[in-house]
Amino acid sequence: MGLQDKKDIFSFIMINLLLTSIVSGSTDTLTSSVPLKDGDTIVSSRGLFELGFFSPGSSKNRYIGIWYKSIPAKTVVWVANRETPVIDNSGMLKITNPGVLTITNDKNTVIWSSNSSKAAPNPIAQLLDSGNLVVRDKNDNINFVWQSFDYPGDTLLPGMKMGKDLVTGRESNITSWKNDDDPSTGEYTFGCDVTGYPHQVIRKGQVLQYRGEPWNGIDFGGISVLPQNAIFKFDMVLNEHEVLYTYTMFNSSMISRLTMNHSGVAQRWVWADQVKDWIVYFSIPAVDGCDLVCGAYGTCAINSFPKCGCVDKFVPKYQNEWNGANWSKGCVRKRALNCKTDGFVKHANIKLPDLQYTMFYKNVTLAQCEKLCLKNCSCVAYANILKTGGTGCMLWMGDLVDIQEGPSYSSVLYIRMAFSDLGLFTKMYKHEGFD
């Protein structure tokens, strides 16, 4: 073997070692010249997140995923090809012109690709310290052609958004895996429902499993399983173009995530470095089974037995069924409304009812809200839902469903009642016309 041949072999080995180092964790970037092979990874600049091929649980299928680099137990937060795995170790992730990510198998068949209508002349893919995989032009650090944060899996990270684009109709939710071995789309979805007014919901297919309270300017109402915290801050973008919910961490060094699991439970997790494990900060629905069970004008109290009762001055619609713990038909008024002489009874420490048939007025005081409801014979209740500024009037136009009560709930609801069902002070207040 001649000297030149040895130099060529040495050069070949060094080039391959260099290329291997480029995609083995020493960089956060994928370029069009070097695909990411199974076994290689890229790591965000501060070493917070890692991207590469992985197999979930006991499965041998291979997926491109993103997980925490600094946490001992691999915790996957995003999967690219969740519906189309690679069945062996031949997979490669590539960035192609004009800025499309693709995953190919041993036959060089594209089994997954990012979808974007934008283009980048010199595209690169970069894993950010937020856990966001972005495609951009190498000379443009601001404008992204595509980003994984727009396509959540079963996990919502700080900075990710849930909600709906009101122009295109596109929704962003988090959806459960089928099981621990299969990250494909499962039965459960956790998202932001914009019907009536933005609120969080969990659905199994199309069937509602859990409904949160409306956005109150700070968070999603008096949710009793969410303790007061200094860990994260909620935010909502609410305009004629979009309704989007997100959260950020007060302390960027803390690690937290929101997940939707395949058992139908949404959980907020916080990493506890002292014990090297994830701690469940809260779960919804709560284990008491108080959601959507007591019917119209029924109230659910976590610590009561039976847990379902009727709103004061209401009675079970079907007493025999109610006595048999079938509360789904709910309750009815003892005395009918007549619209002209009705008043309102205050109910504190409750979860506000379902928002499907509601009307919202932003710059309306509580006193004005009461008058609006009185003038509308279809209005059965009202509340001030905004904590910021105190001028957010919600009117309910249908039966009140999914009411819960307890000292840890902070909302107040005013329910319309017949004059004869009003308390003495309320009658005097109404009769004298006091403000």
Side-chain angles (χ1 to χ4, degrees), residues 114-128:
S114 60
N115 54 343
S116 175
S117 59
K118 301 177 182 178
N122 302 291
I124 62 170
Q126 183 180 22
L127 181 60
L128 306 182

Side-chain angles (χ1 to χ4, degrees), residues 168-207:
T168 65
R170 182 178 175 276
E171 296 186 17
S172 295
N173 305 309
I174 56 174
T175 55
S176 65
W177 289 17
K178 278 193 174 178
N179 53 60
D180 291 336
D181 303 324
D182 185 355
S184 62
T185 303
E187 294 184 294
Y188 293 95
T189 300
F190 181 56
C192 183
D193 192 332
V194 300
T195 305
Y197 198 74
H199 57 288
Q200 294 178 333
V201 295
I202 295 175
R203 288 191 172 91
K204 183 179 182 181
Q206 298 299 317
V207 180

Side-chain angles (χ1 to χ4, degrees), residues 208-337:
L208 187 65
Q209 304 290 307
Y210 165 84
R211 177 198 62 83
E213 285 198 279
W215 176 255
N216 61 28
I218 298 176
D219 53 31
F220 283 99
I223 187 169
S224 61
V225 294
L226 179 59
Q228 295 295 318
N229 74 92
I231 297 177
F232 41 80
K233 175 183 181 294
F234 302 108
D235 196 15
M236 173 70 74
V237 177
L238 180 58
N239 56 46
E240 65 273 19
H241 302 296
E242 58 186 1
V243 177
L244 294 173
Y245 157 79
T246 187
Y247 71 96
T248 54
M249 307 301 295
F250 283 121
N251 184 346
S252 60
S253 66
M254 294 196 69
I255 300 174
S256 179
R257 73 193 206 277
L258 178 67
T259 63
M260 180 74 248
N261 70 29
H262 53 77
S263 298
V265 179
Q267 293 175 303
R268 164 73 63 187
W269 301 84
V270 176
W271 177 254
D273 203 46
Q274 300 88 342
V275 296
K276 303 297 181 185
D277 203 359
W278 290 102
I279 304 299
V280 177
Y281 191 67
F282 73 83
S283 299
I284 49 176
V287 294
D288 56 74
C290 228
D291 294 287
L292 304 165
V293 295
C294 298
Y297 297 104
T299 63
C300 190
I302 295 173
N303 297 320
S304 296
F305 183 82
K307 60 185 175 184
C308 284
C310 291
V311 172
D312 189 33
K313 308 301 182 182
F314 287 73
V315 294
K317 187 173 184 178
Y318 300 106
Q319 189 67 57
N320 289 339
E321 292 185 20
W322 190 272
N323 293 341
N326 179 3
W327 305 300
S328 60
K329 304 296 174 53
C331 306
V332 293
R333 297 177 181 275
K334 289 182 179 180
R335 298 172 182 84
L337 302 175

